[in-house]
Amino acid sequence: TLRLICTTTAVQKRNAGASGPEKYTEAFIKKQIEEFNLGKRHLANMMGEDPETFTQEDIDRAIAYLFPSGLFDKQARPLMKHPNEVFPEQRKIQWGEDGRPFHFLFYTGKQSYYSLMHETYEKFLHVQKHQDQLTAEDLPLQKEKRNLAGSRWLTKIELEEMLLEKVSDDDYSRFIQLLQKLVALPCADIEEKFIQKFSKEVPVQLQKVVIEPLQHDERGVAFSTGEGKRKTARATAVVYDNGTGKITVNGIDILHYFPVLQDREQLLFPFQFLGRIGKHDMVCTVSGGGRSAQAGAIRLASAKALRSFVTEKEVEFMRQAGLLTVDPRVKERKKPGQEGPRRKFTWKKR
Amino acid sequence: DDKLLTEPLSHPDFFSVKELFTLKDLFDARVHLGHKKGCRHRFMEPYIFGCRLDQDIIDLDQTMQHLQLALNFTAHVAYRGGIILFVSRRRQFCHLVESTARACGEYAHTRYWQGGLLTNAHIQFGPGVRLPDLLIFLSTLNNVFEPHVAIRDAAKMNIPTVGVVDTNCNPCLITYPIPGNDDSPAAVELYCKLFRMTIIRAKDKRRQSEAIQELQ
């Protein structure tokens, strides 16, 4: 090797990041675990607690008490956790004393990924053989529909974590295609356990909106409540049955509260849509926002209250008409260097 | 220990490899069928028996001799505890080759061959890797009908190779070529069976010899 004479030390120092993440030896991690356990007992003694029953939460509380830190980032504060959580999981040496690697696909480079593909293909062949046996005996093939909507396949990152090695996009898509082919076979129920390792339950996203039943007040009149909002206005509406079409806002009649025709039209729109103009009474409370925002808030609140009086089909019609959706538009903030949210300062050529 | 290693070398057929196959087996497994005349490689002409209706027929006598040499060599390598790597880039037989390798306790590579696997091994795998001592090719061509990169790499790294060469393959750099069909499933299954039996036989013989030596 050449000895660099007339150069700076910066050239001689190797690029620190090029060697990849630090490789921790097993002996090092063992020592860290011993030190951690010893430190845990010392900490328990210091806090005056029993060293045997000192849990991780107690450790966190003790550290937060002994080393108070005002740092914003929680991960920058003093930390005392078990070394297995601190040091990432790593691949140990892949070959034995005589030099022979342990895994039979070691020389491919991506041993865990290819062994997974090999296993999946084996399951595929097994299912096909089973299918052939059933068709030979003229037995019907099982056809229980798997719940496809509630499950998703593992993401690429999750697969990388599982295999402890990098997986490229192509490899990942190939693996998913193979899994889909396996699942598509009629007798795939045999390998259900294997498939479940790679599928995850998707939590039901659409919460079924529960339409509350009608309540009855002292006189026996059915009523229901609804809440709505628009911009900064918040409104609650109580819609009574067997009414004459009277609407009261904050104790004031709508003709006096909303002098503008447009606002009153907004209030009446849900009733007009369902054809129940003269049949319901309404009492609302509203605060915040401006004239138009309050009208929109009450409209949403009354539409939500009316769901209890009406069939499911009409609720679907209301939803498609946009009566039940919260209007997401709010005032956009002003940005620095501009006059308003979008308007820039006047540009002068000179 | 020295006697263990030198004793098999004095016999021409220490592992009685000739008993594993007959000419009839090769014929039944359709090993003699080659590709069409247009696909013929110039260096395969010595191994071809003749041409029938434009299809090349491989000379099974020569195949017998080459196969016996190759199996004998693999048996010796396995007896001395060498690492054997099965290579094949045929998608049809990928699973079969991998299962054969697993059954033998040896290694397989039937996937995309990364460039520096043999030549750049110390950087790709880590310092102190042991490279394979024998490469067995169930098919010397890759998916684009070109010679597999591993043949050239093994020649560079002084690793002996055993390979099944078909009529469109180049047998030049392979140490123990076996002229024969590499496309039919029957032929490939026969090869896998033969290699598996030789390797297992060699390993068993080694264990027996070690046990006998320990008793003495």
Side-chain angles (χ1 to χ4, degrees):
Chain A
T1 49
L2 291 168
R3 254 194 67 218
L4 299 159
I5 307 169
C6 303
T7 47
T8 53
T9 43
V11 171
Q12 287 162 358
K13 189 175 151 189
R14 299 280 167 76
N15 185 5
S19 52
E22 278 173 61
K23 305 267 168 73
Y24 306 109
T25 49
E26 270 203 59
F28 174 78
I29 300 235
K30 255 194 192 165
K31 209 181 80 170
Q32 293 291 314
I33 294 178
E34 280 166 22
E35 282 182 10
F36 172 76
N37 286 327
L38 205 60
K40 202 167 88 166
R41 295 183 78 89
H42 277 306
L43 194 62
N45 271 330
M46 270 195 270
M47 299 301 287
E49 303 215 19
D50 184 17
E52 304 298 326
T53 54
F54 205 56
T55 56
Q56 187 60 45
E57 293 162 356
D58 295 327
I59 297 178
D60 292 333
R61 259 186 289 128
I63 297 289
Y65 171 72
L66 291 168
F67 303 99
S69 153
L71 292 173
F72 186 73
D73 193 357
K74 298 280 194 288
Q75 284 168 329
R77 297 186 183 177
L79 181 78
M80 182 160 164
K81 282 212 190 303
H82 192 84
N84 284 342
E85 290 163 43
V86 171
F87 297 107
E89 246 188 273
Q90 280 193 347
R91 290 283 211 67
K92 302 153 208 154
I93 295 281
Q94 305 285 339
W95 51 86
E97 271 178 14
D98 56 352
R100 289 185 77 104
F102 297 129
H103 201 273
F104 76 109
L105 288 175
F106 169 75
Y107 286 106
T108 53
K110 310 178 207 169
Q111 68 176 48
S112 11
Y113 169 73
Y114 285 133
S115 80
L116 182 66
M117 292 290 272
H118 178 81
E119 223 186 294
T120 320
Y121 191 67
E122 218 174 289
K123 304 279 181 217
F124 186 80
L125 290 175
H126 180 235
V127 171
Q128 274 189 335
K129 210 172 76 171
H130 191 259
Q131 224 176 300
D132 292 334
Q133 276 175 356
L134 288 183
T135 35
E137 292 161 24
D138 281 326
L139 287 169
L141 305 161
Q142 290 161 316
K143 200 67 171 157
E144 293 163 24
K145 280 263 174 182
R146 270 188 87 245
N147 181 18
L148 297 156
S151 58
R152 64 167 173 90
W153 297 118
L154 282 184
T155 54
K156 193 174 99 117
I157 302 167
E158 282 165 4
L159 191 66
E160 277 185 11
E161 273 171 41
M162 208 169 104
L163 298 176
L164 290 175
E165 66 182 16
K166 288 257 171 350
V167 174
S168 79
D169 291 326
D170 275 328
D171 293 337
Y172 172 71
S173 54
R174 273 193 183 237
F175 176 60
I176 297 296
Q177 278 169 13
L178 189 58
L179 277 178
Q180 281 168 347
K181 269 175 83 168
L182 175 59
V183 162
L185 291 176
C187 297
D189 307 314
I190 307 160
E191 305 296 345
E192 196 57 49
K193 237 190 327 183
F194 179 76
I195 297 169
Q196 266 167 14
K197 270 193 262 177
F198 304 104
S199 66
K200 277 207 166 152
E201 292 294 319
V202 169
V204 181
Q205 284 159 346
L206 294 161
Q207 284 164 333
K208 199 71 201 262
V209 185
V210 177
I211 304 173
E212 279 163 44
L214 292 169
Q215 295 154 323
H216 296 263
D217 69 359
E218 308 105 14
R219 283 173 294 149
V221 176
F223 72 93
S224 87
T225 29
E227 282 173 3
K229 64 174 182 176
R230 172 87 214 274
K231 277 196 192 172
T232 340
R234 302 285 181 269
T236 44
V238 186
V239 176
Y240 293 94
D241 210 356
N242 302 340
T244 46
K246 209 167 64 163
I247 305 179
T248 310
V249 183
N250 282 356
I252 308 168
D253 192 39
I254 55 162
L255 269 176
H256 299 290
Y257 197 86
F258 290 120
V260 182
L261 174 66
Q262 177 197 336
D263 304 333
R264 281 175 295 191
E265 272 181 355
Q266 286 283 296
L267 289 205
L268 287 173
F269 180 39
F271 301 96
Q272 180 213 357
F273 185 80
L274 296 168
R276 291 165 176 241
I277 292 187
K279 297 181 194 162
H280 293 287
D281 258 348
M282 192 158 74
V283 175
C284 344
T285 44
V286 66
S287 63
R291 167 202 102 206
S292 196
Q294 284 186 343
I298 302 174
R299 181 183 108 170
L300 179 61
S302 57
K304 282 196 179 167
L306 279 173
R307 278 183 312 191
S308 324
F309 289 92
V310 142
T311 55
E312 271 197 36
K313 235 187 183 177
E314 299 208 303
V315 170
E316 183 59 25
F317 287 150
M318 278 217 288
R319 186 191 73 88
Q320 285 188 352
L323 276 167
L324 300 174
T325 354
V326 178
D327 201 337
R329 298 178 289 178
V330 284
K331 201 161 176 173
E332 203 175 307
R333 70 160 269 199
K334 176 199 172 313
K335 283 107 193 174
Q338 292 176 350
E339 193 160 318
R342 299 288 171 103
R343 162 137 172 86
K344 322 283 188 277
F345 288 123
T346 319
W347 178 72
K348 291 209 188 83
K349 201 160 183 177
R350 47 187 70 83
Chain B
D1 198 35
D2 211 21
K3 207 176 152 239
L4 252 185
L5 294 174
T6 46
E7 219 236 292
L9 295 174
S10 40
H11 305 253
D13 197 7
F14 186 68
F15 302 96
S16 44
V17 156
K18 282 191 194 140
E19 302 160 359
L20 288 172
F21 59 94
T22 56
L23 205 115
K24 180 114 190 355
D25 290 334
L26 294 182
F27 186 82
D28 288 330
R30 308 196 266 275
V31 162
H32 58 289
L33 301 171
H35 289 279
K36 293 281 189 182
K37 196 163 72 177
C39 295
R40 196 195 296 175
H41 194 99
R42 202 186 130 169
F43 296 139
M44 287 299 287
E45 276 157 22
Y47 302 120
I48 290 173
F49 183 71
C51 193
R52 160 100 173 140
L53 293 172
D54 248 13
Q55 189 182 12
D56 288 331
I57 308 292
I58 299 166
D59 189 1
L60 281 182
D61 294 317
Q62 291 189 48
T63 307
M64 287 269 283
Q65 291 167 9
H66 283 90
L67 190 55
Q68 193 260 315
L69 286 171
L71 288 177
N72 190 35
F73 185 72
T74 49
H76 279 275
V77 170
Y79 181 85
R80 299 166 89 103
I83 296 180
I84 301 181
L85 187 63
F86 285 84
V87 178
S88 163
R89 201 60 182 98
R90 309 254 349 198
R91 220 179 115 95
Q92 278 173 297
F93 309 120
C94 147
H95 187 85
L96 175 65
V97 170
E98 285 184 342
S99 343
T100 325
R102 197 150 58 163
C104 299
E106 299 294 340
Y107 308 87
H109 184 109
T110 55
R111 310 283 176 167
Y112 178 73
W113 181 274
Q114 280 171 318
L117 255 184
L118 289 181
T119 40
N120 207 13
H122 289 286
I123 300 177
Q124 286 208 344
F125 293 118
V129 206
R130 188 174 148 186
L131 287 180
D133 299 306
L134 174 66
L135 252 58
I136 301 187
F137 287 90
L138 274 302
S139 158
T140 35
L141 300 178
N142 59 14
N143 286 355
V144 221
F145 298 107
E146 277 171 3
H148 202 291
V149 180
I151 305 174
R152 192 201 67 193
D153 280 354
K156 277 192 190 177
M157 304 298 286
N158 288 343
I159 300 173
T161 22
V162 164
V164 175
V165 276
D166 206 350
T167 41
N168 54 354
C169 308
N170 187 352
C172 284
L173 284 174
I174 304 167
T175 14
Y176 289 92
I178 304 172
N181 192 6
D182 64 2
D183 302 291
S184 312
V188 175
E189 276 173 16
L190 176 76
Y191 296 132
C192 284
K193 194 181 83 169
L194 288 174
F195 283 121
R196 193 175 61 233
M197 292 205 311
T198 33
I199 294 173
I200 291 175
R201 213 183 251 201
K203 287 187 174 170
D204 285 336
K205 262 237 159 99
R206 172 67 182 234
R207 259 175 274 153
Q208 276 172 14
S209 318
E210 277 183 342
I212 289 169
Q213 223 189 29
E214 260 180 54
L215 286 174
Q216 282 169 353

